[in-house]
Amino acid sequence: MTLSILEFNYVRRLVLDQSAIVLEEDKGYLVESRLLPLARREGFTSINLLVQKMQAEPFHGLHRLAVEAMTTNETSFFRDFNPFEALKNFVLPDLIARRSAERALSIWCAASSSGQEPYSVSMLIRENFPQLSSWKIHILATDLSTDILARAREGRYSQLEVNRGLPASFLVKYFQKRGCDWYLRDDIRNMVDYQILNLSNVWPALPPMDIVMIRNVLIYFGIETKKEILAKTRRILKPDGYFFLGGAETTFSLDHSYERAQFERATCYRIRKT
Ligand SMILES: C[S@@+](CC[C@H](N)C(=O)[O-])C[C@H]1O[C@@H](n2cnc3c(N)ncnc32)[C@H](O)[C@@H]1O
């Protein structure tokens, strides 16, 4: 490893304090491979000099960029497929029936990365529920990383990205090709409201949510952080709302106030009725 143990531990502590992401002791290669491009971009001749600069100074933009560089932004349209089938076939039809008086739905995609997840939700709604066009649909998408949020807002995807999970009919209908990239249509893009939100900090005031998706991010956190996030989610999820986690994540043994709900091949969580 190029970094000394002290430098490596400094980065681990910085990332833990700022994002709650736990970097195990064997993640030296990961830290180096993620920090090297940042060091080069910022004009450092080595990652040691980058880390030493951060060590010497109070938290500022460089530290933020280093933390963001350590996040994993892996995502895709309609990731894992089954949760979106559950949304289409069970969850949204149920909520549409329950909210027929107020004609409003609030959906939150936390840790939304480059936007494929919230845009999958907005395309799914547009495609399958034309009756919702006269409803107030609020899709909030949040992430820790300002850079990834800027990418998400832009709604621009490479050929490789649209090849992953997006049905061909949706590509034709909801995207336009300009140059080598695909741009999401403005009406679908504008359905999603992006905000910065660090799940491990105090959350800003959020409206009560009908659907919450916090997928493929809890895996990076320690047990206490997971418990805190599940408890905070419970406070903003409506009593009859639906909560989706990633395929490798669960509330089991962390928070007993949730119960599993199975919709064919998809698992989601609901607040347990006492
Ligand atoms: C693997 S992506 C998951 C994207 C999407 N939810 C999905 O399942 O495809 C994880 C995202 O979590 C974000 N993240 C990491 N730590 C976070 C934190 N403390 N608060 C909010 N977002 C965080 C990262 O910036 C990254 O975009």
Side-chain angles (χ1 to χ4, degrees), residues 18-21 71-76 79 110-114 117 142-145 148 197-200 214-217 220-221:
Q18 297 298 324
S19 70
I21 295 171
T71 61
T72 299
N73 302 125
E74 164 69 16
T75 188
S76 55
R79 182 174 187 175
S112 56
S113 189
S114 38
E117 182 175 85
T142 62
D143 201 280
L144 162 93
S145 159
I148 208 76
L197 189 149
N198 185 339
L199 288 166
S200 66
I214 306 186
R215 300 173 65 221
N216 303 300
V217 66
Y220 300 108
F221 300 149

Side-chain angles (χ1 to χ4, degrees), residues 6-237:
L6 279 179
E7 289 164 345
F8 175 53
N9 284 339
Y10 168 81
V11 176
R12 290 173 68 202
R13 168 54 56 190
L14 173 73
V15 171
L16 182 68
D17 289 349
Q18 297 298 324
S19 70
I21 295 171
V22 177
L23 293 167
E24 306 292 350
E25 278 173 21
D26 61 354
K27 288 291 190 285
Y29 72 93
L30 183 76
V31 170
E32 294 193 350
S33 64
R34 298 270 179 89
L35 290 188
L36 192 59
L38 174 66
R40 288 200 181 123
R41 232 177 23 245
E42 296 294 315
F44 294 94
T45 49
S46 72
I47 52 175
N48 305 77
L49 290 176
L50 166 77
V51 174
Q52 286 158 22
K53 168 99 173 156
M54 292 193 291
Q55 283 177 303
E57 294 179 2
F59 187 90
H60 62 85
L62 189 62
H63 300 74
R64 180 182 62 74
L65 291 174
V67 173
E68 293 192 6
M70 290 312 307
T71 61
T72 299
N73 302 125
E74 164 69 16
T75 188
S76 55
F77 289 104
F78 297 95
R79 182 174 187 175
D80 300 336
F81 182 72
N82 293 317
F84 294 93
E85 285 297 288
L87 277 182
K88 182 173 78 181
N89 298 326
F90 302 101
V91 172
L92 282 164
D94 177 54
L95 287 171
I96 289 168
R98 286 170 189 269
R99 308 285 185 260
S100 60
E102 57 265 56
R103 297 167 72 79
L105 286 176
S106 292
I107 301 169
W108 178 31
C109 293
S112 56
S113 189
S114 38
Q116 285 90 329
E117 182 175 85
Y119 291 141
S120 297
V121 174
S122 52
M123 285 186 280
L124 184 147
I125 288 177
R126 184 55 60 90
E127 184 75 15
N128 298 285
F129 302 97
Q131 69 273 38
L132 294 184
S133 60
S134 59
W135 285 39
K136 195 172 172 299
I137 306 294
H138 181 221
I139 304 175
L140 173 68
T142 62
D143 201 280
L144 162 93
S145 159
T146 39
D147 283 3
I148 208 76
L149 284 175
R151 267 216 61 202
R153 278 191 193 98
E154 204 187 356
R156 172 162 67 101
Y157 297 97
S158 68
Q159 186 68 51
L160 203 70
E161 287 170 320
V162 297
N163 283 350
R164 295 185 61 204
L166 187 69
S169 59
F170 280 35
L171 180 62
V172 172
K173 204 162 168 183
Y174 298 117
F175 289 78
Q176 284 179 336
K177 192 160 191 204
R178 271 183 262 148
C180 294
D181 291 333
W182 292 89
Y183 289 77
L184 190 62
R185 247 173 44 190
D186 280 351
D187 58 322
I188 303 293
R189 208 165 52 84
N190 293 336
M191 287 173 73
V192 181
D193 173 25
Y194 286 100
Q195 280 178 34
I196 194 133
L197 189 149
N198 185 339
L199 288 166
S200 66
N201 280 355
V202 176
W203 293 0
L206 294 169
M209 295 289 171
D210 296 292
I211 299 172
V212 175
M213 303 179 106
I214 306 186
R215 300 173 65 221
N216 303 300
V217 66
L218 294 190
I219 38 169
Y220 300 108
F221 300 149
I223 286 178
E224 287 314 310
T225 309
K226 289 182 198 186
K227 284 184 177 173
E228 282 164 24
I229 292 172
L230 292 175
K232 288 194 269 188
T233 303
R234 189 176 358 108
R235 292 197 278 277
I236 59 135
L237 187 64

